[in-house]
Amino acid sequence: MSNQRKKWSIGLLTAVLIGSVTLAGCSSGNNAENASGTASAPATTSASPSESASPSASPESAEPYELNWLKAQDISVPYDPDNDVVKQAIEQKLNIKINAEMVDVQQYKTKLNLKMSSGDIPDVVRIDFADDFQKYAPLGAFVDLTDLINEQDTPNIMREVPKEVFEQAKVNGKIYGIPYQGGPGSGYRWNLVMRQDYLDEVGATAPKTLDEYYNLLKKIKAEKPDVIPLGGYTAQIGEVKFANNSFDNIFGAFGVTPGYFNQTDGKFSSFDIDPRMKEALLFLQKMYGEGLIDKEFATIKEEQLRAKLFGGKLFSWMGWWSTPNDYDTQVEANELIKAKKLGAGEKLPDQSKLPFKYLSLNGSLVGPDGMAVAPQGAPFGQITAISAKTKDPKRVLAIIEESLSLENQMLTVWGIEGEDYLIEGDKMTVVTDLLDPKTRLDKNGKFRSIQSYTFAPGLNGWPRYLESLPLRAAEPLDVAINNPFQITDAANYLESPTKIAKLVELNTMRDSTFTQIIMGADIGKFDEFVEKWKSQGGTQILSELEASFKKKAGL
């Protein structure tokens, strides 16, 4: 460590120690008040050490707590935080004053890292877990929350984040932040999408098993020879998309998913080298040879896949949850234009609240054993942490706890009831025409930045999230995230320097090999790939993951 780094670390550690003294001096306070999320008063140093583990309550007459906030903002869109009516409502409700420093959303991470390096840390920090948080937390940048977060004193936080997730989020055995993921948890986000009208035309129903799907694709090819049964596409940025998503349902029915690690009794392996992967590739090779898979799957981009769909030349593909909404409308428009019922320059009215007319959404296909896997994202990707330099860390934690009551989450996520959203009976509706599209101001000349000042919504998802979406957005997301076969990557939150250094290279080798096999190369290439994967870093990665797993488990 350089002398400069040492000085910075010592300074931060000193700040943490000062914060610890402050925390230790706070009374446990009234637990009923804590449960309701009342913010704490500035701490004193008169209490005993045994009273140090609870956010304390503060009188309502306390001065608003000032929070320095680094706010990611699209600078091309007009916005003034001092004229934001939702921000003002949050400040009043939580008895705080947010000093918002604007930074372009594309520069947020760079700006935050500069602040972290200089010690100018915002009071509440939203930071990527995998690299930045794990780097700065051991240096004393954030308040140690290990003894402060518990069922009795922070019930709202514990409701949002399960104990096992906090265990995953620990750094050197301590809790330095609250795991965060916006939206409804970290669920799977892909669906097998098919043309429902083509299903109807060939007299078929949506398949549930891999065999049913395979036979359906053969039927489509026989009865609609100008239609591609299954399409795929490459990623926009440097990855072969099929390796992780375009053929999810095929891989998943064999119990594997490319790119994920698995562990049994502390022993790690990779699905990339699993013998079942070889079986899946042989099946895909068979499908490709029979003309059931688009010959261009490894070279075209998503926009080219869309063109095939909109032109009536594609039956099925793996789709991101949000894409069917617009796709269904575009397919309908094209069909009406072909039937001369809609002019070429005309557009359909908003269809987002209507049922799908042309697309069918489907979950995982199961294999012969009735099982499948669907690769969901990591349980969390970011952490909300409290700066070690904030003047009263315990009160900041109490503010976060209060912000996670259901009532306050509705405010921080959806805005002001009766203005930004409506509740009619049991139904919530987001008001979408409140702002002028050019000025971004409401009729009273105010900005309304909902979802901009959320503290730590946790993993259970923003309240009423699915309900807030129009039907054509809610339905595919609901199908995707409620897929019962979701699995997570066993390597999540484990340390492996070799994985960081070598995984891109190994993945590139995998994608190339798998593509060649699917397109007809000798299956022996898989065995060659397995040996190269192991010798070129894979075995070392597995060893490091196992060691990290044991360390985290205290073994």
Side-chain angles (χ1 to χ4, degrees):
M1 182 183 291
S2 67
N3 289 334
Q4 183 180 4
R5 186 72 168 271
K6 285 180 181 177
K7 290 177 183 177
W8 183 78
S9 300
I10 291 170
L12 282 174
L13 287 170
T14 302
V16 169
L17 290 174
I18 293 172
S20 298
V21 172
T22 304
L23 295 176
C26 248
S27 168
S28 297
N30 186 314
N31 287 331
E33 289 180 324
N34 290 332
S36 66
T38 304
S40 64
T44 66
T45 56
S46 60
S48 66
S50 64
E51 295 177 296
S52 66
S54 156
S56 63
S58 70
E60 292 183 6
S61 59
E63 288 295 314
Y65 192 92
E66 290 198 27
L67 291 170
N68 293 323
W69 191 290
L70 187 65
K71 184 183 184 305
Q73 178 72 24
D74 181 354
I75 61 173
S76 68
V77 177
Y79 177 67
D80 176 5
D82 293 331
N83 190 31
D84 182 345
V85 68
V86 175
K87 173 177 174 285
Q88 292 165 4
I90 293 170
E91 289 175 324
Q92 182 177 358
K93 192 72 167 60
L94 299 178
N95 194 27
I96 59 177
K97 175 68 173 72
I98 298 173
N99 300 319
E101 179 182 350
M102 302 293 107
V103 58
D104 184 70
V105 65
Q106 300 297 330
Q107 299 298 319
Y108 176 82
K109 185 171 181 176
T110 300
K111 181 71 172 181
L112 179 59
N113 272 303
L114 287 173
K115 284 184 167 291
M116 297 297 301
S117 299
S118 67
D120 180 23
I121 309 172
D123 292 283
V124 179
V125 180
R126 179 76 51 76
I127 187 168
D128 287 344
F129 177 83
D131 44 22
D132 296 335
F133 178 77
Q134 289 178 309
K135 176 173 67 177
Y136 292 120
L139 299 177
F142 309 120
V143 174
D144 180 356
L145 304 174
T146 310
D147 295 328
L148 302 177
I149 293 178
N150 54 70
E151 295 282 1
Q152 180 178 3
D153 302 315
T154 56
N156 291 332
I157 292 174
M158 293 303 297
R159 183 191 66 247
E160 290 292 332
V161 185
K163 291 180 180 178
E164 60 270 20
V165 175
F166 270 120
E167 286 298 318
Q168 292 177 309
K170 285 183 176 179
V171 175
N172 294 338
K174 296 183 180 295
I175 297 173
Y176 290 103
I178 303 166
Y180 164 80
Q181 179 146 21
S186 59
Y188 189 55
R189 290 291 188 273
W190 297 82
N191 292 301
L192 174 62
V193 188
M194 294 179 283
R195 284 284 296 260
Q196 181 64 51
D197 53 330
Y198 290 178
L199 273 173
D200 296 340
E201 288 172 18
V202 300
T205 57
K208 301 295 184 184
T209 70
L210 179 60
D211 284 344
E212 289 174 356
Y213 181 58
Y214 170 69
N215 290 325
L216 171 61
L217 296 187
K218 290 201 296 184
K219 189 177 182 69
I220 291 291
K221 180 174 175 57
E223 299 191 24
K224 290 183 169 292
D226 61 337
V227 172
I228 299 166
L230 171 60
Y233 59 96
T234 66
Q236 301 292 338
I237 307 173
E239 288 182 1
V240 176
K241 177 71 79 173
F242 86 86
N244 293 306
N245 298 114
S246 288
F247 300 146
D248 265 0
N249 273 263
I250 309 300
F251 287 123
F254 284 88
V256 293
T257 187
Y260 272 44
F261 291 86
N262 59 322
Q263 76 82 18
T264 304
D265 298 328
K267 297 295 183 182
F268 280 75
S269 186
S270 167
F271 283 123
D272 288 353
I273 61 172
D274 193 300
R276 294 171 295 178
M277 184 65 74
K278 188 175 185 178
E279 298 176 32
L281 290 169
L282 280 171
F283 191 84
L284 283 163
Q285 186 182 77
K286 174 185 175 182
M287 293 177 65
Y288 183 85
E290 294 176 354
L292 303 181
I293 295 175
D294 188 358
K295 299 295 183 184
E296 299 182 302
F297 79 89
T299 58
I300 64 172
K301 302 297 183 184
E302 186 179 9
E303 57 266 27
Q304 294 166 291
L305 181 84
R306 286 199 299 265
K308 295 182 181 187
L309 171 68
F310 299 159
K313 302 298 184 182
L314 178 66
F315 170 64
S316 67
W317 85 104
M318 289 300 299
W320 183 245
W321 73 270
S322 62
T323 57
N325 182 1
D326 293 332
Y327 288 8
D328 192 273
T329 299
Q330 187 61 54
V331 170
E332 180 182 6
N334 287 358
E335 292 296 325
L336 290 174
I337 290 171
K338 284 194 294 185
K340 300 188 184 304
K341 296 180 180 179
L342 187 71
E346 293 183 86
K347 290 185 178 180
L348 291 173
D350 179 24
Q351 306 286 300
S352 63
K353 297 180 181 179
L354 302 176
F356 286 99
K357 299 175 184 177
Y358 284 88
L359 300 181
S360 169
L361 306 170
N362 302 269
S364 288
L365 301 168
V366 300
D369 59 356
M371 299 301 292
V373 299
Q376 75 175 88
F380 62 93
Q382 294 180 319
I383 286 280
T384 297
I386 299 173
S387 168
K389 292 195 170 183
T390 196
K391 64 180 182 292
D392 188 347
K394 197 167 188 181
R395 185 170 174 187
V396 176
L397 180 61
I399 291 167
I400 294 174
E401 166 68 13
E402 184 180 7
S403 79
L404 289 176
S405 71
L406 179 59
E407 176 185 354
N408 289 333
Q409 281 199 73
M410 290 298 292
L411 173 61
T412 60
V413 173
W414 300 121
I416 300 170
E417 183 178 353
E419 299 179 24
D420 298 285
Y421 69 92
L422 307 174
I423 302 291
E424 298 174 350
D426 293 330
K427 177 64 177 175
M428 170 186 165
T429 304
V430 175
V431 179
T432 58
D433 58 354
L434 198 59
L435 303 179
D436 183 290
K438 291 184 179 180
T439 65
R440 309 305 298 166
L441 296 171
D442 65 15
K443 63 182 181 180
N444 297 316
K446 300 289 186 179
F447 291 104
R448 314 186 70 92
S449 60
I450 63 171
Q451 302 175 12
S452 287
Y453 299 98
T454 56
F455 286 85
L459 304 181
N460 286 335
W462 297 343
R464 308 184 81 149
Y465 182 84
L466 281 175
E467 182 184 346
S468 73
L469 298 173
L471 181 62
R472 286 192 181 177
E475 185 179 350
L477 183 57
D478 184 58
V479 171
I481 66 175
N482 288 310
N483 186 313
F485 300 109
Q486 297 179 68
I487 64 165
T488 58
D489 187 346
N492 287 336
Y493 317 123
L494 298 180
E495 297 178 10
S496 169
T498 307
K499 180 171 177 279
I500 294 172
K502 302 289 289 186
L503 194 61
V504 171
E505 177 185 329
L506 294 176
N507 287 348
T508 300
M509 179 170 61
R510 173 202 66 206
D511 293 344
S512 175
T513 302
F514 286 11
T515 301
Q516 292 175 55
I517 292 173
I518 292 170
M519 298 178 75
D522 192 292
I523 193 61
K525 280 186 173 291
F526 179 79
D527 300 318
E528 296 173 7
F529 159 74
V530 170
E531 292 307 312
K532 289 180 180 179
W533 188 93
K534 291 178 179 178
S535 65
Q536 294 179 19
T539 297
Q540 183 63 25
I541 291 173
L542 298 180
S543 176
E544 291 170 0
L545 291 176
E546 182 177 339
S548 180
F549 176 82
K550 288 181 177 179
K551 181 180 178 180
K552 271 188 171 283
L555 300 177

